[in-house]
Structure formats: C-alpha cells, structure tokens
Amino acid sequence: MDFKIVIIDDNLTEKEPFVQNIRMHYKDADYNHVFQNPDKGLEYVLENLNNKMIVFIDWNFSGHHKKGIDLLKEIRKKTSLLYIVMMSANQLRSDIPLDSIIEMMNEENFFYLDRSNDDFESVVTIIDKIRNHWSTKFDCVLEQWLIRHPEDNDKEAFSEASTGKTYTWEDILVELRNQTSVGKSFEQKLNEYYIYQLNRSKK
C-alpha cells in the first residue's frame, strides 16, 4: 500500500459509506484503521509516525472528554509533517468555539472537512491535494527514492558532529517523519546546501 488513511470517529466503522468510498476510490491506500475510541486512534497514529498517512479526526466524541483539537495538539507535539483533516457536521462559530477555529486555521498541514452533507467530492479534493503536496515534500521524495533504490537504505547519510553518531538514509527518513532534533537539523542543513548550490550556479 502506498499510504495509510486513519479515521478517528466514534460514529464510523469500516462498513460505513464514507470509509467504503475511500476504499473504492483509492486502491493504493491502506484504509483498515478506523478507531471509534479517540485514545486508541491517537495511540496508533503516534506509534506509526514513520509511515506516510492522512489522519481524519472527528471534532466531537460522544462520551469522551477529548475533542478533536485535543488529538491535534497531541500529534503536533510530535510532528508538524503529518496531514490532519478535522471533520465535523457542526456549524462553525455556533458549535465550535472561535478560539478553536483560529487555532486550527493556524496549523500547518491541516484541512477542515464539512460532514454536514455527503459530498464525497470534497473528500477526494482534500486527499488529492495532500498527495500532490507529498510529491514535493522531502520525506516523501526520500521514501520513494529508497523504494526504488533499496541498496541505498543502509548507506550513511548524516553524522552528528557532537556525538559522532551516524545515520543511514533509512534512519533519516524515520527521524524526519518523527520531527526529532536530528531530523530537523538534517532538513535545515539540506535546505541551506540547496540554497548555496543555487546561488553558486547563478555566478
């Protein structure tokens, strides 16, 4: 499977039309991760951050003290790379507090899905937009490279000057996806290198 679709919604199961439509439309997606319990869903997401995935989160969970934005905050403590789609059939401003709306709008890699109707085209639009973004994100480009060139997985990619510890390209992919200090440092150095090379080519 090319990517995972995780759904955390107390009113959805794998048999629901919403999930089945995704299954039929995206044959290359692993859609078998539907959680009605928000804690279990959050646990799965945090344990699989090294995978390419889209997480759909319901705004409100009946019988649970957590809201969708609470899960969003917990995920963002670990990574800013993961794409989150907040879902709700509630009316913005009337059922969702303004401060929560502003907080969600300020998030990176975030989409909002209006579930007040059964318009599956809006779901397709969001997923396709995310997949287009993946084609330019370094972690996704690196993943595709390693799939095509498995011989490069164990090659040295990065060495920490302070500790002398070395990381393979496969290690770096995990560090990037988990947004560790090593992953962030590598990405920053890589961006600086490309800017340097670009400026050199213009001289």
Side-chain angles (χ1 to χ4, degrees), residues 1-8 19 22-23 26-35 41 43-56 82-85 127 130-131 134 140 143-144 177:
M1 294 294 182
D2 186 45
F3 66 102
K4 294 179 182 289
I5 290 182
V6 179
I7 300 171
I8 308 174
V19 181
I22 290 176
R23 180 186 67 82
Y26 297 98
K27 305 291 187 185
D28 54 347
D30 176 3
Y31 71 97
N32 295 305
H33 307 285
V34 181
F35 299 90
E43 180 182 5
Y44 178 84
V45 169
L46 296 181
E47 289 178 352
N48 290 274
L49 290 177
N50 58 328
N51 291 284
K52 186 164 58 174
M53 62 180 163
I54 303 170
V55 182
F56 288 83
L82 188 63
Y83 281 96
I84 306 292
V85 183
I127 294 177
I130 292 172
R131 297 185 78 186
W134 277 339
C140 297
E143 179 184 55
Q144 292 304 311
R177 288 268 167 83

Side-chain angles (χ1 to χ4, degrees), residues 93-104:
R93 287 300 299 271
S94 61
D95 296 320
I96 300 178
L98 179 59
D99 58 341
S100 295
I101 295 172
I102 293 172
E103 195 166 358
M104 290 189 295

Side-chain angles (χ1 to χ4, degrees), residues 119-130:
D119 178 22
F120 186 67
E121 283 304 311
S122 57
V123 179
V124 171
T125 297
I126 289 174
I127 294 177
D128 287 350
K129 188 174 290 186
I130 292 172

